[in-house]
Amino acid sequence: LALVGLWFIVGQYLLLHLLLKGRTSWADGVVFGLGSGCVEALYMGINNLWLLLFQTSLVRHIPPAEVAAASFERVFALMLMVCLTLLTLPAIRRSQPLRVLLPMFIMFATNLLVQILALLNLHVWLIEGILAGISLLLLASVMLLRRREMKR
């Protein structure tokens, strides 16, 4: 799963480069990030619906708190995706593909951390809280970068 994040950022960079063609404003990045995040959320929703409809014996054993935690996680995962998109845009704007390494590292490290925490059997709400903290920290960082960019 941690490696999936790397491919997500590379794919996002290529799509941004091909589809936006020079439209690399803050608003373009927010919309693209929301769009890609919503596509992922839709995919996961369809997958969960499939489980609910056809794997009822498996779903019966999932505590309701974990279902709520999954919904909570989607909100902060969406925020993370928007922020990573906004960090990817300067690579296109300045024609510096190596600038994609930062969002790739953040995505990889976040996914890896969540997997390690799950393997340690930490409570699901603690893991989601850590993801929320990472997302909020990244949002604050992106907002600071935006403010700095606006002053130029």
Side-chain angles (χ1 to χ4, degrees):
L1 188 61
L3 293 176
V4 170
L6 297 178
W7 291 111
F8 174 80
I9 299 295
V10 170
Q12 186 182 58
Y13 171 79
L14 293 173
L15 282 172
L16 284 167
H17 188 67
L18 294 171
L19 296 177
L20 292 185
K21 295 184 182 181
R23 293 189 324 251
T24 56
S25 71
W26 178 264
D28 293 326
V30 170
V31 169
F32 193 88
L34 284 172
S36 59
C38 287
V39 166
E40 182 190 36
L42 180 64
Y43 168 76
M44 293 185 76
I46 291 170
N47 186 43
N48 291 342
L49 183 61
W50 176 265
L51 285 173
L52 285 171
L53 294 175
F54 300 107
Q55 302 292 324
T56 54
S57 61
L58 178 70
V59 173
R60 208 173 301 139
H61 301 290
I62 299 174
E66 288 191 21
V67 175
S71 300
F72 181 78
E73 183 267 345
R74 284 292 87 208
V75 171
F76 288 100
L78 188 59
M79 182 187 305
L80 186 72
M81 289 184 164
V82 171
C83 290
L84 292 172
T85 302
L86 292 170
L87 288 175
T88 303
L89 281 178
I92 296 165
R93 192 179 304 126
R94 296 184 181 106
S95 296
Q96 297 172 333
L98 288 179
R99 290 185 73 128
V100 173
L101 293 177
L102 176 63
M104 285 175 71
F105 174 76
I106 293 169
M107 177 69 103
F108 175 78
T110 302
N111 285 339
L112 185 62
L113 177 64
V114 168
Q115 289 175 5
I116 290 170
L117 295 175
L119 287 173
L120 294 174
N121 287 324
L122 293 180
H123 193 276
V124 67
W125 282 105
L126 178 60
I127 296 171
E128 299 308 341
I130 291 170
L131 176 62
I134 291 169
S135 297
L136 290 169
L137 183 64
L138 188 57
L139 178 64
S141 300
V142 168
M143 296 300 282
L144 285 172
L145 288 172
R146 170 75 172 149
R147 187 173 297 162
R148 220 182 269 167
E149 195 175 275
M150 296 284 287
K151 288 182 181 179
R152 287 185 194 171

